[in-house]
């Protein structure tokens, strides 16, 4: 089992920044993919960014150039730095872990509880 705990969400004005954290505990993987997803009210959960254990990163087109995913293996924590936030970034943000490099939510095995990000315009 893997436990994931997100933090760092909150209310920010458009154009501002937030950094989300996702701390992992429990089972470890030699190869893993840590992903961030988000879900806005009335919408499906969508891919935001992912970090493969080999170092590769993947981003949704909507966040490229604004969001950066990174990780700290010693702390078993992955971060999502979000800059130039827009009202449409408002959503609950979830972190998840998979044993394959993927952008599909269905292929992630463990999920956190989510953290709310609200961007006021």
């Amino acid at each position: 089992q893997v436990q994931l705990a997100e933090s760092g969400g909150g209310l920010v004005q458009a154009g501002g920044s937030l950094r989300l954290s996702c701390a992992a505990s429990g089972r470890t993987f030699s190869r893993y993919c840590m992903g961030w997803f988000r879900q806005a009210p009335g919408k499906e959960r969508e891919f935001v960014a992912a970090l493969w254990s080999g170092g590769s990163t993947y981003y949704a087109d909507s966040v490229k150039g604004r969001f950066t995913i990174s990780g700290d293996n010693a702390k078993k924590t992955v971060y999502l730095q979000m800059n130039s936030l827009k009202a449409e970034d408002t959503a609950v943000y979830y972190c998840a872990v998979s044993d394959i490099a993927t952008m599909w939510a269905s292929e992630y095995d463990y999920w956190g509880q989510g953290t709310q990000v609200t961007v006021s315009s």
Side-chain angles (χ1 to χ4, degrees):
Q1 288 288 339
V2 176
Q3 292 78 44
L4 301 173
E6 304 98 335
S7 61
L11 174 65
V12 64
Q13 289 188 334
S17 299
L18 280 176
R19 189 177 80 155
L20 305 183
S21 300
C22 175
S25 60
R27 176 187 172 187
T28 58
F29 299 85
S30 58
R31 299 172 67 186
Y32 58 87
C33 186
M34 295 295 296
W36 284 98
F37 291 78
R38 66 187 181 186
Q39 188 166 19
K43 295 187 176 181
E44 293 187 354
R45 190 168 298 189
E46 66 174 359
F47 171 78
V48 175
L51 172 66
W52 177 241
S53 52
S56 299
T57 57
Y58 311 87
Y59 296 95
D61 288 343
S62 59
V63 306
K64 279 181 182 177
R66 300 188 299 122
F67 291 11
T68 302
I69 188 170
S70 62
D72 185 330
N73 286 334
K75 296 182 178 180
K76 295 185 179 181
T77 300
V78 65
Y79 305 98
L80 185 68
Q81 178 66 44
M82 306 186 294
N83 299 328
S84 302
L85 283 161
K86 305 175 181 180
E88 50 263 42
D89 294 318
T90 295
V92 177
Y93 283 70
Y94 300 89
C95 68
V97 63
S98 172
D99 59 357
I100 60 173
T102 179
M103 295 184 289
W104 298 104
S106 60
E107 294 178 331
Y108 282 79
D109 303 301
Y110 301 96
W111 292 81
Q113 293 298 309
T115 185
Q116 176 71 46
V117 171
T118 303
V119 184
S120 62
S121 57

